[in-house]
């Protein structure tokens, strides 16, 4: 696959623990994630937890999707409402491209979202255990 950012960069497959395969550009160190891989790696239910909201911030880029490779352009949008981290996402295959250094930002955002959803899940479980949902 071709790197969406470098004109002559070729993405290389990298195996991560738990059978996640990502594609990394050796030149710009950008990483391509196929649909579902970001969420899986960050233990989130979805790649982009607040997609319906952040999608409103999207704007087209001139970068081709490496996966579709049919001229589909990536769209730039915020990763989360409360964050200035911008990610590139393909509207067709829903893959995501992260520039160098963006993964660690995404991880810290995901950690906050994760702890929130985990707290919420525990609260719901607790309420359920008391029989409120029966
Ligand atoms: Zn590159
Ligand atoms: Zn695509």
């Amino acid at each position: 696959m071709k790197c969406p950012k470098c004109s002559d960069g070729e993405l290389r497959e990298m195996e991560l623990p738990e059978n996640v395969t990502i594609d990394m550009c050796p030149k710009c160190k950008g990483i391509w994630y196929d649909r579902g891989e970001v969420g899986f790696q960050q233990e989130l239910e979805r790649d982009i937890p607040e997609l319906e909201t952040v999608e409103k911030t999207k704007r087209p880029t001139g970068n081709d999707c490496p996966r579709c490779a049919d001229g589909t352009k990536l769209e730039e949008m915020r990763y989360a409402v409360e964050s200035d981290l911008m990610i590139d996402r393909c509207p067709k295959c829903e893959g995501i491209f992260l520039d160098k250094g963006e993964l660690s930002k995404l991880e810290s955002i995901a950690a906050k979202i994760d702890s929130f959803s985990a707290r919420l899940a525990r609260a719901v479980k607790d309420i359920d255990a008391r029989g409120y949902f029966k």
Side-chain angles (χ1 to χ4, degrees):
M1 293 203 293
K2 287 242 174 300
C3 175
K5 298 275 166 98
C6 309
S7 53
D8 55 351
E10 194 67 39
L11 300 179
R12 280 194 209 141
E13 269 198 5
M14 253 175 69
E15 294 272 345
L16 297 179
E18 305 189 60
N19 295 322
V20 177
T21 308
I22 58 165
D23 297 274
M24 189 173 167
C25 174
K27 275 187 89 172
C28 68
K29 307 280 192 282
I31 306 173
W32 173 259
Y33 286 90
D34 288 320
R35 182 172 189 262
E37 289 178 345
V38 172
F40 183 81
Q41 201 182 36
Q42 306 300 328
E43 298 181 347
L44 296 172
E45 270 177 50
R46 302 195 295 169
D47 288 335
I48 304 175
E50 303 162 312
L51 180 63
E52 290 77 9
T53 314
V54 296
E55 242 192 338
K56 292 174 192 146
T57 69
K58 75 180 177 190
R59 55 188 187 86
T61 71
N63 303 321
D64 290 326
C65 171
R67 182 60 81 198
C68 295
D70 60 357
T72 304
K73 304 287 184 207
L74 300 178
E75 294 174 338
E76 191 180 52
M77 64 179 79
R78 282 173 186 266
Y79 177 67
V81 180
E82 300 277 316
S83 161
D84 57 3
L85 170 61
M86 302 299 281
I87 57 160
D88 294 300
R89 180 173 182 268
C90 174
K92 200 170 162 191
C93 68
E94 301 181 2
I96 291 170
F97 189 78
L98 295 178
D99 291 328
K100 183 184 181 212
E102 288 183 342
L103 179 61
S104 57
K105 285 186 203 166
L106 190 149
E107 273 174 349
S108 60
I109 298 163
K112 280 184 210 153
I113 296 168
D114 181 48
S115 58
F116 173 71
S117 60
R119 276 202 307 273
L120 194 65
R122 273 199 301 276
V124 169
K125 227 176 153 185
D126 185 50
I127 295 166
D128 190 30
R130 293 178 201 191
Y132 281 100
F133 292 157
K134 294 199 175 87

